[in-house]
Amino acid sequence: MSANTALHIAVLAGDGIGPEVMAPAIEVLRRIEAQTDLKFRFSEAPAGASHYLATGTSMPESTVRLCAETDAVLLGACGLPSVRYPDNTEIAPQIELRMHFDLYAGVRPARLIPGVPSPIVGAEQRGIDLVVIRESTEGLFASMGKGVVTHDDARETLVITRKTSERLFEFSFKLAERRRARGRIGTLGCVDKANVFKAFAFFREIFDEAARRHPNVKADRLYIDACAMMLVKRPWDFDVLVTENMFGDILSDLAAGLIGGMGMAPSADIGDHHAVFQPCHGTAPDIMGQGKANPTAMILSAAMMLDWLAERHGLEQAAEASERITRAVDQVYAGGIRPFEFGGHNGTADVAKAVLAAL
């Protein structure tokens, strides 16, 4: 793909504040388009709880086909607490997309941006810059929709396979290598419960095999409970952590709390051929339509998308654009922008305007 070819992006705005934070992210990409040779073609499609209420499905087949055909997917927050499937689980097209496109690597960066408050003493001086990689297609989530509930008990099954674990660890070691090349620590920790469960001992065994193939990366092994404790004591000691689906779900939210909250946390779900980029936060129906939503996580997710597209298609301008967006976000927070979740008075429009100006 040449830099003059339009990158086709599927845009699934989602529910609640999803469309509100998606709009600034698209504006930022349009600004990048105006300043570079990069071109984008955005195709909007429905997905989420609102579509379920109207049609009985979380997303139509046409949305799935679009996601298969495009270069990448930008996904807003999806689901509403009040809208449920008959089994009382929430509408979650983001999980369905992971399963459908085999997006096994859930990448959850947690970087403390200058000017953003952290609850961790010393974080402002020491910094936080780590990535949680969450396996996103199996683990405990493999049981989604398949659990057995009787009058007396309920059972869900955790699944870990060699094929997925090998791909996950290869992805993780390569990410650690790329981060070291960019000046980070470049270490990788496997987070599990191998001292109790056979499935996690199997998981760690496959990690050890991968570690032998990547001797240039310092590999650590941590139990999930100890890792959670150390993350809130010394988060600056960590670089890349890889773990099972449910553990990753929990650790990635914990990591977001270290850097100011979910409004600051971007994410990506990446497979061998497709990728979806979305903010970690939910749909926040309590502030929907009030202009209070923080679009930072969505904007940074768009930057992650550009970085992935750069590597996939050899587009140096896309990598540079990703870095420019990240620097612009850093600049506006260092300059005093304060979203509502930090006790400030800067809403969606203020943050978007400031980032566009910094670009």
Side-chain angles (χ1 to χ4, degrees):
M1 176 179 289
S2 72
N4 293 320
T5 302
L7 293 160
H8 191 190
I9 310 300
V11 178
L12 283 54
D15 304 301
I17 63 170
E20 298 175 39
V21 298
M22 181 66 78
I26 299 298
E27 280 190 83
V28 165
L29 291 173
R30 288 297 190 199
R31 181 63 58 86
I32 291 294
E33 186 178 47
Q35 296 174 342
T36 67
D37 291 332
L38 294 173
K39 302 298 177 187
F40 302 103
R41 178 160 65 96
F42 299 106
S43 295
E44 297 182 5
S50 298
H51 190 266
Y52 176 79
L53 284 176
T55 67
T57 61
S58 67
M59 54 185 165
E61 281 300 316
S62 58
T63 294
V64 178
R65 286 196 302 272
L66 174 69
C67 293
E69 295 166 358
T70 51
D71 292 295
V73 179
L74 272 183
L75 179 64
C78 289
L80 292 170
S82 60
V83 181
R84 305 267 175 162
Y85 286 119
D87 65 0
N88 205 38
T89 57
E90 287 192 29
I91 314 304
Q94 63 272 29
I95 299 178
E96 295 169 37
L97 287 170
R98 293 170 198 161
M99 303 298 184
H100 188 87
F101 292 109
D102 195 19
L103 309 179
Y104 56 87
V107 182
R108 309 290 189 264
R111 184 177 65 89
L112 184 61
I113 293 173
V116 174
S118 170
I120 305 302
V121 175
E124 184 178 347
Q125 294 76 32
R126 302 293 297 272
I128 299 172
D129 187 352
L130 60 92
V131 180
V132 175
I133 302 178
R134 164 191 179 183
E135 194 291 311
S136 293
T137 60
E138 47 187 47
L140 194 55
F141 278 73
S143 191
M144 189 179 74
K146 304 172 186 176
V148 177
V149 179
T150 70
H151 180 270
D152 297 311
D153 62 21
R155 298 173 186 267
E156 306 276 6
T157 302
L158 181 146
V159 176
I160 290 175
T161 68
R162 173 171 289 277
K163 176 185 175 182
T164 295
S165 298
E166 286 178 343
R167 290 187 299 169
L168 176 74
F169 294 140
E170 198 64 24
F171 179 97
S172 303
F173 275 103
K174 287 180 178 178
L175 178 61
E177 289 168 349
R178 288 199 304 273
R179 283 174 61 83
R180 187 175 63 180
R182 295 178 178 182
R184 274 78 167 194
I185 304 171
T187 60
L188 176 63
C190 178
V191 184
D192 56 44
K193 198 64 178 172
N195 57 330
V196 176
F197 295 104
K198 292 181 179 179
F200 284 113
F202 178 66
F203 189 71
R204 182 178 288 201
E205 178 183 321
I206 299 169
F207 176 82
D208 289 342
E209 293 170 4
R212 288 192 286 273
R213 294 193 297 271
H214 296 270
N216 56 330
V217 175
K218 184 178 183 299
D220 296 318
R221 293 92 179 148
L222 307 96
Y223 297 134
I224 179 64
D225 44 352
C227 179
M229 183 270 292
M230 288 188 284
L231 272 173
V232 297
K233 290 188 70 177
R234 298 181 60 83
W236 42 82
D237 286 346
F238 294 97
D239 190 48
V240 183
L241 297 169
V242 60
T243 189
E244 176 270 341
N245 208 338
M246 178 60 81
F247 287 169
D249 189 16
I250 297 165
L251 277 190
S252 58
D253 279 20
L254 187 157
L258 305 179
I259 61 164
M262 303 297 277
M264 304 302 297
S267 79
D269 290 309
I270 299 174
D272 291 335
H273 305 291
H274 302 277
V276 174
F277 300 85
Q278 70 172 133
C280 287
H281 62 69
T283 55
D286 56 320
I287 61 169
M288 180 176 61
Q290 300 175 35
K292 294 181 177 180
N294 182 0
T296 303
M298 188 76 245
I299 292 170
L300 290 175
S301 296
M304 289 183 70
M305 180 187 73
L306 290 176
D307 194 52
W308 180 77
L309 288 168
E311 184 178 359
R312 185 169 178 80
H313 297 297
L315 296 174
E316 185 178 343
Q317 282 201 72
E320 293 171 352
S322 175
E323 292 178 5
R324 286 185 56 215
I325 293 171
T326 301
R327 288 197 301 268
V329 170
D330 286 6
Q331 182 179 327
V332 301
Y333 277 94
I337 277 283
R338 290 292 179 274
F340 283 90
E341 65 258 46
F342 302 151
H345 301 283
N346 296 122
T348 313
D350 290 341
V351 176
K353 182 178 178 181
V355 173
L356 289 167
L359 283 170

